[in-house]
Amino acid sequence: TILPTIAGCALTYAYGYDIYPEGLSVGVSLAPTSVGIALKLLHEAGALNKYFGQAVMTAAFVDDVLSLILFSVLFSLAGEMKFLTFLPLIMGCVFMVLAIIAAVKVWPPLIKFIFSKIPEDKPDANVTRHHEAMWLLMFITLLVYAFITHLCGTHLWGCFIAGMSFAAQHEAHHIWSRQVKRVTCWFMRIFFAATLAW
């Protein structure tokens, strides 16, 4: 996170622009790691479940969290600087720590409790009743966490933390991918057409 930020500032300064805000903006934009690409490459190489594969993914996730914090700092610096400027950022960091603790201590037993209360009346179906409940729970968590962190600076924190909250559930990724695959494909086309295509 730090090295791309410094490199971006230095490169921007070398081209004759100011370090702040142009240089810092470039550096912060270069800081995130592409977790999706790293995940796909490690999976294709069969190294995802090995120690170095887990180390790479952990480092990538930590780097992304730090990058999201840097984005929030950059957005906070846009206006007049005072303590209240950084209060949402501090609250976002506190929420992130609490949500990570909840992902380990609260979510796994809560999901088991919810599943125990929902009868599985179609166990042989491609999408079971528990899968539906899991997807609904993930979607609500995504919306709530994104809204909370939007108030703290950026909704991206909430999306990231919501995904981490279900990391202990082995079927969570499969359930999410199956339910949102078609919608994701269409929104990706719109996203790339409206951003990278220009």
Side-chain angles (χ1 to χ4, degrees):
T1 304
I2 303 299
L3 187 59
T5 304
I6 294 172
C9 290
L11 187 63
T12 307
Y13 185 73
Y15 276 97
Y17 295 95
D18 294 332
I19 291 179
Y20 177 78
E22 289 90 353
L24 189 59
S25 299
V26 170
V28 169
S29 299
L30 293 173
T33 305
S34 180
V35 174
I37 292 174
L39 182 65
K40 186 169 184 176
L41 289 174
L42 288 169
H43 181 70
E44 288 177 356
L48 190 57
N49 292 324
K50 295 183 179 177
Y51 286 119
F52 74 89
Q54 292 295 311
V56 168
M57 290 309 301
T58 302
F61 277 114
V62 170
D63 184 55
D64 277 357
V65 170
L66 294 175
S67 298
L68 290 174
I69 293 173
L70 277 179
F71 272 117
S72 294
V73 169
L74 182 64
F75 296 148
S76 299
L77 294 176
E80 183 183 353
M81 290 181 59
K82 51 188 179 181
F83 175 73
L84 291 178
T85 303
F86 295 99
L87 184 60
L89 177 64
I90 294 168
M91 297 303 294
C93 290
V94 170
F95 174 75
M96 185 166 53
V97 170
L98 293 175
I100 289 170
I101 293 171
V104 176
K105 300 290 185 183
V106 176
W107 280 110
L110 180 62
I111 290 171
K112 286 182 182 177
F113 174 77
I114 292 172
F115 282 176
S116 69
K117 298 297 180 183
I118 298 174
E120 184 55 86
D121 53 5
K122 47 179 187 175
D124 297 327
N126 286 334
V127 180
T128 67
R129 189 69 68 198
H130 286 177
H131 288 172
E132 292 172 350
M134 172 73 86
W135 186 83
L136 184 62
L137 186 61
M138 287 191 289
F139 190 72
I140 291 171
T141 305
L142 173 70
L143 293 178
V144 171
Y145 278 19
F147 177 73
I148 291 171
T149 55
H150 172 73
L151 299 177
C152 298
T154 174
H155 64 281
L156 296 175
W157 277 6
C159 299
F160 191 82
I161 299 166
M164 276 194 329
S165 299
F166 297 93
Q169 307 301 316
H170 299 295
E171 292 188 329
H173 178 263
H174 173 71
I175 294 168
W176 181 265
S177 298
R178 174 176 287 219
Q179 296 294 337
V180 300
K181 186 174 182 179
R182 294 176 184 172
V183 178
T184 302
C185 288
W186 275 103
F187 276 111
M188 281 179 67
R189 293 172 187 168
I190 295 170
F191 172 77
F192 284 111
T195 56
L196 299 180
W198 295 99

